[in-house]
Amino acid sequence: MKRLFLGTLSVLMLSAAGIPAAQAEVNQDSSIQSYGYSEQEYRTTPFDLMGNAYNGAYEEMGISSGTNLLRDYQAGMVTAEDIVTAGIRDGDIPAQALQDPEYVGKVKRQLDVLSRDV
């Protein structure tokens, strides 16, 4: 009886160990398709694009950095589209990103979240 229990438990543990890997594959595939383009075309995620903007990578293009960026966003002087456009000009993302509402929306959500406490 003890052997049967241990054998069954071992099979269940091995089965459960494979589930996260299978889910990761599904999640990875859906995230690639979520923007409608291949992963290679979007080398820079919306999160990373915002990090670039916040750290001053787009200052030469008129995008403020740090808390000034967030204040400009709150004042309506900078939009998510402006940041995406700066990323395009800097070569971080392809031009079609500006036409991708999901990508632009994720940049906007980053701006919304970060500017709450400014």
Side-chain angles (χ1 to χ4, degrees), residues 18-76:
I19 292 172
Q23 287 176 338
E25 284 183 30
V26 170
N27 291 340
Q28 183 181 10
D29 289 343
S30 65
S31 69
I32 291 170
Q33 295 174 0
S34 66
Y35 297 147
Y37 301 100
S38 74
E39 188 174 57
Q40 289 78 26
E41 290 181 278
Y42 283 107
R43 294 185 327 244
T44 305
T45 67
F47 180 82
D48 291 337
L49 188 74
M50 271 303 305
N52 291 349
Y54 191 87
N55 290 322
Y58 309 131
E59 284 182 314
E60 291 180 7
M61 293 169 245
I63 305 290
S64 301
S65 63
T67 56
N68 290 332
L69 166 64
L70 304 177
R71 287 187 185 113
D72 288 351
Y73 173 69
Q74 288 176 331

